[in-house]
Amino acid sequence: MFGVTILGNNSALPAYDRHPTAQIVTIGDQLILIDCGEGTQTQLAKYKIRRSKINHILISHLHGDHYFGLPGLITSMGLLGRQNDLHLYAPAALENIIQLQLKAGSTDLPFQLHFHALENFENILIDDPKFSVKLFPVEHRIPCWGFIIKEKRMPRKINKEAVIAYHIPAAYYEALQKGEDYTNKEGTVIANELLTNPNKPAKSYAYCADTRYTPENAIVCEGASLLYHETTYLQNCEHKALVRYHSTTIQAATFAAKAQVKKLIIGHFSSKYEQLEEFLKETQPIFPNTDLAIEGVTYLV
Amino acid sequence: MFGVTILGNNSALPAYDRHPTAQIVTIGDQLILIDCGEGTQTQLAKYKIRRSKINHILISHLHGDHYFGLPGLITSMGLLGRQNDLHLYAPAALENIIQLQLKAGSTDLPFQLHFHALENFENILIDDPKFSVKLFPVEHRIPCWGFIIKEKRMPRKINKEAVIAYHIPAAYYEALQKGEDYTNKEGTVIANELLTNPNKPAKSYAYCADTRYTPENAIVCEGASLLYHETTYLQNCEHKALVRYHSTTIQAATFAAKAQVKKLIIGHFSSKYEQLEEFLKETQPIFPNTDLAIEGVTYLV
């Protein structure tokens, strides 16, 4: 499974039972938490997501609605006896804040917390056997990063009948799965395409964090299976979006179209909007395959 | 009105829709927030308590379940355009944590935040015309303080018939209300008791924070109209309470009886308990006028 579960879809202030930003990305047996607004640990419990399965946490920037839930989540993990290492990827200034909070509470975590400052990475943030996480800068009032989580290319599938017919030794199957051709004792090259079939294409999720409309970033997110782009405001607040370093519906949809992604989800709604239908109405004419990021819903990548 | 509204009654971990510690004390037209666990701003909204009315926040100690909601509350107050000064009374180490968080987010609050380190006070923390707040150390794993909020003595009530009969000039009424006698032109002293009647006695609320059973503190809370004492555990966990610097039902009730308070409310329940009836069953035989501190309920002082 590769999917994104929304835990919070509201901007700065919690309102209308909508919460500040947090998302869980499930990729295989791994859970990655992206941003961690206040109350994230309660949202995880509400949607029965096991926090013990979270090994990586990515924090896009240090506005409170994206990380004020983190100290509580970390200390709760400790109280619950977590032992697995936890990797936290965030702007450098967060390390000192967390350490001061742990020190003030005389808290010794029973697990290793590894801090990775986003400033130290240029492209690849995580290189796991099954997926990679890349980061890219977005344009916000303070330093802020987006993330792209991508499956590793799936191995090609062995064509069982073909490998028997061509007398390929089983020891060579792994090389075939990687796409290599086979050369037999007689020196004849048998093309990989004759021996294997392509697997499903690798999918990717692009998370654009809090950002002004930045068309230059469309190339970074190009072809993503799923794109999350913030829409703090409706179209008629374009000027407000500009000065507050946020985006509108139209801008998110235009970005998605430019990046030629398969699907778009939108969120980070301003607390001034109680109803959200208008967000879809403005976005879909430009990018039809758009959904609202609704809390508790999992969107498949 | 002098009352205490419970916003969170659970210990360290949120559970069973119970939240970490936070209480609002309403005294006249003032709201005082005591402790501010994660999610306090949401609880304030849920119970329709106007955060703009809060001018004083008291933080008992720096375990996260007593202050992780504070950065969110403060920044939300800023986003909502608060202009009134806000006074924060807390252990000294919190000042740097809050300042780092504001700096990391490039947040300029539109109001003055005055930080008062509890370590700098010996007895009186706040001396308002209508009430006082005293602090006292309690016994916890890290430095921790309890608070006593007390009304100022109410002025005596003028006995209208008596002041006319004794020809007391109106300019002297204020002195009478303060309890002074009146001496007339002939040099005769007219006792205050003849001219005024006593007002209602001043009430007080004692908040014992997170604490081991500390009978020596009973004298500090003596005669309080309302006492909050933590009961993290039932009686059979007395040893656990001791080593974790918390209290049991029996200990809270014994403390209340020793302090001869009028009424006791108990809270800070461990997340191991889903049902709370047993807490009352164990407490009331020793101190009958006990209530559970239930979220959303206001207990009159």
Side-chain angles (χ1 to χ4, degrees), chain B residues 139-152:
Chain B
E139 206 182 329
H140 199 42
R141 191 166 65 78
I142 59 172
C144 184
W145 285 265
F147 305 106
I148 295 174
I149 301 175
K150 192 169 183 173
E151 293 175 320
K152 288 280 170 79

Side-chain angles (χ1 to χ4, degrees), chain A residues 239-294:
Chain A
H239 179 70
K240 195 177 267 184
L242 184 74
V243 299
R244 296 190 178 177
Y245 291 83
H246 286 298
S247 299
T248 68
T249 47
I250 303 297
Q251 293 172 335
T254 307
F255 185 96
K258 227 179 243 294
Q260 296 179 289
V261 303
K262 305 282 185 301
K263 184 183 169 81
L264 168 67
I265 51 175
I266 54 175
H268 200 265
F269 308 113
S270 164
S271 302
K272 64 192 263 187
Y273 304 110
E274 182 166 2
Q275 303 300 326
L276 302 175
E277 297 85 5
E278 202 63 25
F279 281 85
L280 266 193
K281 276 193 204 156
E282 292 189 358
T283 313
Q284 287 181 332
I286 298 171
F287 195 84
N289 196 9
T290 303
D291 259 346
L292 297 172
I294 298 295

